[in-house]
Amino acid sequence: MSILITGGAGFIGSHTAVEFLNAGYEIVIVDNYCNSSPKAIDRVKEITGKDFKVYEVDMCDKDALEKVFIENPDIDSAIHFAGLKAVGESVQKPGLYYYNNLTSTLNLLDLMAKYNAKRIVFSSSATVYGAPKTVPIREDFDLSATNPYGQTKLMIEKILKDFWISDNTWSISILRYFNPIGAHKSGLIGENPKGIPNNLLPYVAKVAAGQLPYLSVFGNDYPTHDGTGVRDYIHVVDLAKAHLKALERAEKVQEVEYFNVGTGTGYSVLDIVAAYEKATGLKVAYKIAPRRPGDIDTCYADPTKAYEVLGWKAENNLEDMCRDLANWMQKNPNGYEGE
């Protein structure tokens, strides 16, 4: 049987593909490369020494996506990463985010039902908790969202639940990620943002490498230990391994289950700057800027459920994350496009 990995050339998707291949699974990848590179696929093959089918498909095109199922009748599960993911852009272009993220998911679910492949692990986000009243965040907290990107994740979670209510033979595992960073220890795959990075660590790395002049720290008046926003950062390889555990669980139960995937430790923006400087010996210039709309002060996970139910916990610390990211940046200063 094969696992369909949507968005498999992306940052998290490519690392997850490596873990599934190394665990002996057959995979099929679909990606439209709007925010990724085909070269990531070549690097996954290099790391694992394994081959697999890859389709360049826009998942909003249902006919093109159906061709993948027709040509691969052994697909029995999906890991669903594909989607637009920049919070700021979603505020500027809400229509694009709602159309792309919801249409692609509905197409996928309709085809999974049609071809009786009813196991899915969905890439959700801690943004579904909105501005939590307390931390650490548990899976049973109230849900809301402060931006269109987060709203699409929340809507997809509800869509998945409704698919299961209508047909209890679905097995659905929803992983609510916190902040994935780092890179594969080989330095062959890593985060490859096109243009100016939207996420903190790739931006920090580019500033440290002299590719950008300074980091804008959005707000230093939050009620945190140093005034800057606090988040839960997790190594992307630890996150990838959580998908393995989630799929193993989905193979045993026909339920909808939700899991936080984080370390349970919060670090501020300035903590991250200091950790990257310590890990690399490089200086990260920064300037304080006004808060961004939609940002919250503190967000970190209670990952107890993932440990107790899935047998998963994060193994890499912040120093590991910074070191592996620096290794990726050193070997690929211009990302995949530098080849």
Side-chain angles (χ1 to χ4, degrees):
M1 308 309 286
S2 292
I3 315 299
L4 178 66
I5 302 182
T6 75
F11 175 44
I12 304 170
S14 59
H15 287 80
T16 302
V18 167
E19 296 305 319
F20 271 85
L21 288 165
N22 285 342
Y25 285 88
E26 297 290 327
I27 67 169
V28 177
I29 284 179
V30 298
D31 204 300
N32 67 356
Y33 304 121
C34 76
N35 193 35
S36 60
S37 170
K39 291 173 184 172
I41 300 294
D42 298 332
R43 301 286 187 87
V44 169
K45 293 178 179 178
E46 184 179 346
I47 291 168
T48 62
K50 296 182 179 179
D51 199 8
F52 47 89
K53 287 187 180 180
V54 183
Y55 293 82
E56 184 173 356
V57 167
D58 184 336
M59 291 177 58
C60 291
D61 182 343
K62 192 172 184 179
D63 290 340
L65 185 58
E66 184 162 20
K67 182 182 176 185
V68 178
F69 281 87
I70 292 169
E71 294 184 2
N72 300 275
D74 60 338
I75 289 173
D76 68 348
S77 309
I79 315 295
H80 183 31
F81 297 107
L84 300 174
K85 62 173 187 174
V87 169
E89 183 184 57
S90 80
V91 175
Q92 297 165 355
K93 302 176 181 178
L96 174 65
Y97 272 67
Y98 286 118
Y99 174 77
N100 183 86
N101 292 3
L102 298 180
T103 303
S104 59
T105 301
L106 288 168
N107 286 345
L108 174 65
L109 294 175
D110 283 344
L111 292 169
M112 290 179 72
K114 181 176 180 178
Y115 291 96
N116 199 33
K118 296 181 183 176
R119 280 194 292 270
I120 185 168
V121 180
F122 174 57
S123 160
S124 192
S125 166
T127 57
V128 301
Y129 294 114
K133 293 176 182 175
T134 61
V135 288
I137 298 167
R138 296 192 316 271
E139 288 84 353
D140 59 359
F141 275 27
D142 291 339
L143 304 180
S144 64
T146 58
N147 55 71
Y149 162 72
Q151 289 285 8
T152 66
K153 292 295 189 185
L154 194 51
M155 288 178 177
I156 292 168
E157 286 198 9
K158 291 178 179 177
I159 289 167
L160 287 164
K161 181 68 177 289
D162 286 339
F163 266 72
W164 181 83
I165 289 170
S166 73
D167 178 359
N168 293 159
T169 65
W170 280 88
S171 298
I172 299 170
S173 186
I174 294 171
L175 302 187
R176 293 170 176 161
Y177 308 165
F178 282 69
N179 294 66
I181 60 174
H184 194 268
K185 294 190 186 304
S186 67
L188 288 169
I189 55 174
E191 192 161 8
N192 185 50
K194 296 189 175 182
I196 301 297
N198 288 298
N199 296 330
L200 176 62
L201 254 292
Y203 208 109
V204 166
K206 284 185 175 289
V207 172
Q211 296 179 13
L212 292 170
Y214 61 88
L215 170 71
S216 292
V217 177
F218 297 108
N220 66 343
D221 58 349
Y222 287 108
T224 62
H225 65 274
D226 61 15
T228 65
V230 168
R231 299 291 183 270
D232 188 334
Y233 295 91
I234 177 172
H235 198 296
V236 66
V237 173
D238 283 333
L239 177 56
K241 290 176 179 177
H243 294 80
L244 269 173
K245 295 290 190 181
L247 188 65
E248 289 170 3
R249 171 76 175 174
E251 289 170 348
K252 299 171 186 172
V253 299
Q254 292 178 323
E255 298 178 19
V256 184
E257 296 185 302
Y258 307 85
F259 300 98
N260 287 336
V261 185
T263 64
T265 302
Y267 295 100
S268 74
V269 176
L270 295 184
D271 288 337
I272 294 294
V273 168
Y276 197 83
E277 289 181 336
K278 180 180 178 182
T280 63
L282 301 172
K283 191 69 180 168
V284 180
Y286 67 87
K287 294 183 179 179
I288 303 300
R291 294 187 185 190
R292 292 182 300 190
D295 275 354
I296 59 176
D297 56 277
T298 302
C299 177
Y300 61 91
D302 179 346
T304 303
K305 184 179 177 184
Y307 178 68
E308 292 180 346
V309 178
L310 300 180
W312 172 90
K313 66 177 180 179
E315 298 173 352
N316 291 278
N317 60 30
L318 185 58
E319 184 178 346
D320 298 326
M321 302 178 213
C322 291
R323 185 188 62 247
D324 291 341
L325 175 60
N327 181 44
W328 155 254
M329 283 292 299
Q330 184 179 7
K331 292 180 176 177
N332 306 271
N334 298 305
Y336 297 114
E337 283 66 38
E339 287 191 346

